[in-house]
Amino acid sequence: MAKYQRLVQQIQQQIEADVWPPGEKLPSLRQQVELSGLSLMTVMHAYEVLEGQGWIVSRPQSGYYVAPRARTLPPASHNPMELTEKVDINSAVFDVLQACRDPKIVPFGSAFPDPELFPQRQLMRSLISVSHSLKPSDAINNLPPGNEALRKTLAQRYAQQGITVSPDEIVITNGAMEALNLSLQAVTEPGDWVVVENPAFYGALQAIERLKLKAVAIATDVRDGIDLAQLEEALQRWPIKACWLMTNQQNPVGFTLSRERKQQVVDLLAAHQVALIEDDVYSELWFGEEKPLPAKAFDRDGNVFHCGSFSKNLVAGFRVGWVAAGRHAQRVQRLQLMSTISTSAPMQLAIADFLATRRYDAHLKRLRQTLERRKQLARQALRRALPAAHINESNGGYFLWVSLPETVDTRQLYQQALACGISIAPGHLFSSGEQYTHCFRFNAAWPWDNRAEAAVETLGKLIRQMTGD
């Protein structure tokens, strides 16, 4: 058990024993550091977990107090750190994604949103327009780092959030996966150790497998994200070269790191001179009043690779992404020239043309509203069909993370559901271990109709058969 988890458990026991009754002020962070002998970061993390679980409340300028009628919510992750010297996940991912290509399959296991949500007609107009005006020199002008107008537009969108990123730091890539892979390759050699989340986006595990790297999987909490105490311990114990994280609408769990937590991650990695590879492909799919900042906003050393894409929010087939690579931009460009050479010039030009029409933000607003509505409908249907499941709440994106009783193996559920014409993404895709085999990821971005309702009811029946209910 991690140090912060022991402190969380200790304070919970004290609250239950009325050592700290409801309304009582707890020791301050610094007092708790002195009492426990733990670091300030560990104590802060413990208090954040207790607050997230409803045990305590913070009062500005006053401190932390025991919450009235403190109650236990679904617990934080108690998974230990997981070391993997050889990752082998690619075959399982391939099988699941291939099954989703069949139009007869209900694609709850798909990684992509419904393509009907994208402004395909307007995008094709942009593509036709730029194709008619293509010049022989465009093939050269759009070599790495990529189309200048597109990079300037991206730099301006960063500036709208108060983040200064020069267009020269941005490299246009063949989707986010190339951006992420090139970033990882820029700071590692085969055999190096890389931190990933647990559970993690399977693309991170595939990249580690392909580049022959070793993984340190750090537990994540369904609300707070990566376990900072475990991350600090890993950085102290192993020669970590990079940390691959999703900071907003994490895939598969769905959490968004708080502003404070993002800064803590950046500061901690900077102190150990470890690069952060920030996978932020769902950054535009937020719900609420304000777009969350990326961790890149707190980068002072140019050591955060901020990777984004238009595939999840505008058009999947164009395969246009980017990385704001900071001081590593030249290295990423050279690696791209040695692999794919460059991103398709017509696709870059078409995206730049569409963004110049200023229709992008109006489209994003409609997209977020539709995804939020579909996600609510999917969540309600899953709750009706799977009363014993825990469905993680998340304020953005289009995935739901479903935890079933631990007697259920979602690898078996996946096969049975597929035989019934339904795809899910079983939990083993998102970890090199076995601790998430009772979970699955559910794509809620597709139209919610009678077919989808019936498919969820079928999932419920299959699960009841497996549990004997």
Side-chain angles (χ1 to χ4, degrees):
M1 185 182 294
K3 293 177 182 179
Y4 88 91
Q5 291 170 339
R6 286 196 292 270
L7 181 58
V8 166
Q9 190 177 77
Q10 176 187 320
I11 295 175
Q12 287 172 345
Q13 291 169 350
Q14 291 171 351
I15 291 173
E16 289 176 335
D18 272 341
V19 174
W20 307 106
E24 184 82 8
K25 185 176 181 179
L26 289 174
S28 70
L29 294 174
R30 297 199 179 278
Q31 288 172 334
Q32 192 65 258
V33 167
E34 294 175 4
L35 290 169
S36 64
L38 300 173
S39 70
L40 178 60
M41 181 172 289
T42 299
V43 172
M44 287 174 63
H45 187 25
Y47 275 40
E48 287 172 0
V49 170
L50 288 164
E51 186 175 18
Q53 293 180 353
W55 290 91
I56 66 176
V57 294
S58 60
R59 298 178 186 171
Q61 311 302 320
S62 181
Y64 290 87
Y65 293 79
V66 178
R69 293 185 300 278
R71 59 191 181 91
T72 304
L73 295 175
S77 170
H78 293 290
N79 293 320
M81 209 181 303
E82 184 178 282
L83 304 181
T84 307
E85 296 209 14
K86 187 177 186 302
V87 175
D88 184 9
I89 196 74
N90 194 55
S91 295
V93 172
F94 180 81
D95 291 343
V96 172
L97 296 183
Q98 284 292 101
C100 293
R101 297 178 60 185
D102 186 344
K104 298 175 184 175
I105 299 293
V106 182
F108 296 148
S110 170
F112 297 98
D114 175 10
E116 295 297 323
L117 296 174
F118 296 152
Q120 298 182 63
R121 188 174 300 173
Q122 295 95 318
L123 283 163
M124 289 311 298
R125 279 204 293 265
S126 288
L127 182 57
I128 292 168
S129 174
V130 300
S131 296
H132 287 160
S133 58
L134 271 176
K135 302 182 293 295
S137 59
D138 284 330
I140 297 173
N141 293 338
N142 291 282
L143 287 173
N147 180 265
E148 184 178 9
L150 182 54
R151 289 186 291 111
K152 283 183 177 179
T153 298
L154 289 169
Q156 290 166 5
R157 294 188 70 83
Y158 280 112
Q160 289 170 10
Q161 284 195 282
I163 306 169
T164 301
V165 173
S166 167
D168 294 336
E169 295 177 40
I170 298 172
V171 182
I172 307 301
T173 60
N174 289 293
M177 276 309 302
E178 185 182 42
L180 292 157
N181 276 272
L182 291 174
S183 299
L184 188 59
Q185 197 175 347
V187 292
T188 63
E189 298 289 343
D192 284 342
W193 289 97
V194 176
V195 164
V196 294
E197 298 157 308
N198 195 19
F201 166 48
Y202 49 69
L205 302 176
Q206 289 175 297
I208 287 170
E209 177 182 349
R210 185 180 67 83
L211 295 174
K212 296 180 172 56
L213 301 168
K214 301 174 184 177
V216 182
I218 304 293
T220 57
D221 179 79
V222 295
R223 291 175 181 80
D224 299 324
I226 191 164
D227 184 327
L228 290 180
Q230 274 195 21
L231 176 59
E232 186 173 24
E233 181 183 349
L235 293 169
Q236 292 169 350
R237 291 178 61 184
W238 288 281
I240 306 295
K241 292 298 181 66
C243 181
W244 180 323
L245 300 182
M246 298 190 76
T247 55
N248 296 311
Q249 289 84 54
Q250 193 256 10
N251 176 10
V253 177
F255 58 77
T256 290
L257 295 183
S258 68
R259 181 188 181 105
E260 294 74 21
R261 209 163 183 76
K262 288 169 183 168
Q263 180 151 20
Q264 289 169 357
V265 167
V266 171
D267 291 346
L268 181 59
L269 294 176
H272 289 269
Q273 297 182 320
V274 171
L276 172 59
I277 298 170
E278 184 177 16
D279 182 352
D280 204 15
V281 297
Y282 303 101
S283 64
E284 297 288 3
L285 304 183
W286 47 274
F287 308 153
E289 298 299 321
E290 186 177 5
K291 180 180 177 180
L293 285 170
K296 180 70 176 176
F298 307 102
D299 181 21
R300 299 294 175 264
D301 303 320
N303 209 28
V304 174
F305 296 80
H306 184 253
C307 302
S309 171
F310 295 102
S311 297
K312 301 298 190 294
N313 57 55
L314 184 61
V315 55
F318 280 23
R319 303 301 304 153
V320 176
W322 74 90
V323 53
R327 60 189 176 87
H328 301 280
Q330 289 286 329
R331 169 73 171 153
V332 170
Q333 290 178 47
R334 288 194 293 270
L335 288 169
Q336 188 182 35
L337 278 170
M338 288 190 294
S339 55
T340 57
I341 301 178
S342 72
T343 307
S344 164
M347 299 309 179
Q348 291 187 64
L349 290 164
I351 293 284
D353 181 80
F354 178 82
L355 296 184
T357 67
R358 303 190 181 278
R359 294 175 182 164
Y360 185 42
D361 285 308
H363 155 70
L364 289 175
K365 184 177 180 180
R366 291 192 299 271
L367 177 63
R368 288 193 290 266
Q369 291 171 344
T370 302
L371 290 178
E372 185 173 19
R373 183 169 60 253
R374 290 183 179 181
K375 201 172 178 182
Q376 288 173 349
L377 291 169
R379 187 184 291 112
Q380 291 166 4
L382 285 165
R383 282 177 173 160
R384 289 193 297 269
L386 314 175
H390 177 259
I391 303 165
N392 194 39
E393 302 285 344
S394 58
N395 198 27
Y398 52 87
F399 293 129
L400 296 169
W401 182 242
V402 183
S403 300
L404 300 171
E406 294 193 1
T407 54
V408 177
D409 188 334
T410 54
R411 290 170 292 195
Q412 181 183 350
L413 176 63
Y414 165 74
Q415 294 295 340
Q416 293 182 1
L418 199 60
C420 297
I422 305 163
S423 170
I424 60 171
H428 76 286
L429 298 184
F430 306 96
S431 174
S432 56
E434 295 287 313
Q435 64 268 50
Y436 296 106
T437 54
H438 64 293
C439 303
F440 68 91
R441 189 192 69 186
F442 184 100
N443 185 328
W446 296 82
W448 202 255
D449 51 21
N450 291 337
R451 181 178 182 236
E453 284 277 0
V456 169
E457 290 175 8
T458 299
L459 284 176
K461 291 176 184 176
L462 292 174
I463 292 165
R464 286 193 293 275
Q465 290 171 5
M466 295 175 74
T467 58
D469 293 340

